[in-house]
């Protein structure tokens, strides 16, 4: 069973930075596109960024130029470097596969950006 464990969230001020990590168990990591999603308060979960097994990346317009997704296939880990954070980035962040997320989501990691 694949498990996804997100970490690295916290409380930061506007303009600050955070680096999120997601450790995935199982052999599916190395062959799948991985993605970061986020669920803002009271809203649905949305795609933030994705990265193929070969390292190609795509970002949501709202984070383009501020966030960077990367992966370490040897460690089964995907990262999200978040710079120039804004209050609207406040959300619980999750990682999962893309385009079909695995049914068992991790617990997520809370990111709160204060104004």
């Amino acid at each position: 069973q694949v498990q996804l464990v997100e970490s690295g969230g916290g409380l930061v001020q506007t303009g600050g930075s955070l680096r999120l990590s997601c450790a995935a168990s199982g052999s599916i990591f190395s062959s799948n596109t991985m993605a970061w999603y986020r669920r803002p308060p009271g809203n649905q979960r949305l795609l933030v960024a994705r990265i193929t097994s070969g390292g190609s990346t795509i970002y949501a317009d709202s984070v383009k130029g501020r966030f960077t997704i990367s992966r370490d296939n040897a460690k089964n880990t995907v990262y999200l470097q978040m710079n120039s954070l804004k209050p609207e980035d406040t959300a619980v962040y999750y990682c999962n596969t893309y385009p079909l997320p695995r049914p068992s989501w991790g617990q997520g990691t809370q990111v709160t950006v204060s104004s």
Side-chain angles (χ1 to χ4, degrees):
Q1 182 177 356
V2 175
Q3 291 184 329
L4 299 160
V5 181
E6 301 91 349
S7 62
L11 173 64
V12 295
Q13 293 183 334
T14 297
S17 298
L18 285 172
R19 188 192 194 208
L20 308 184
S21 299
C22 171
S25 65
S27 60
I28 62 109
F29 180 89
S30 62
S31 61
N32 277 281
T33 295
M34 297 299 296
W36 283 96
Y37 303 80
R38 67 185 181 187
R39 188 196 298 272
N43 285 284
Q44 63 183 1
R45 190 154 35 203
L46 300 172
L47 179 67
V48 174
R50 64 186 196 256
I51 183 168
T52 68
S53 58
S56 296
T57 58
I58 293 180
Y59 299 90
D61 287 344
S62 59
V63 306
K64 202 172 296 183
R66 300 188 298 121
F67 290 12
T68 302
I69 188 172
S70 61
R71 64 191 292 162
D72 186 333
N73 291 336
K75 297 181 179 180
N76 286 355
T77 301
V78 62
Y79 305 97
L80 187 68
Q81 177 66 45
M82 305 187 296
N83 299 327
S84 302
L85 283 162
K86 305 175 181 180
E88 51 264 43
D89 295 318
T90 294
V92 180
Y93 285 72
Y94 304 86
C95 70
N96 209 321
T97 53
Y98 177 91
L100 295 177
R102 302 286 166 162
S104 297
W105 292 81
Q107 82 289 348
T109 187
Q110 175 71 48
V111 172
T112 303
V113 185
S114 63
S115 57

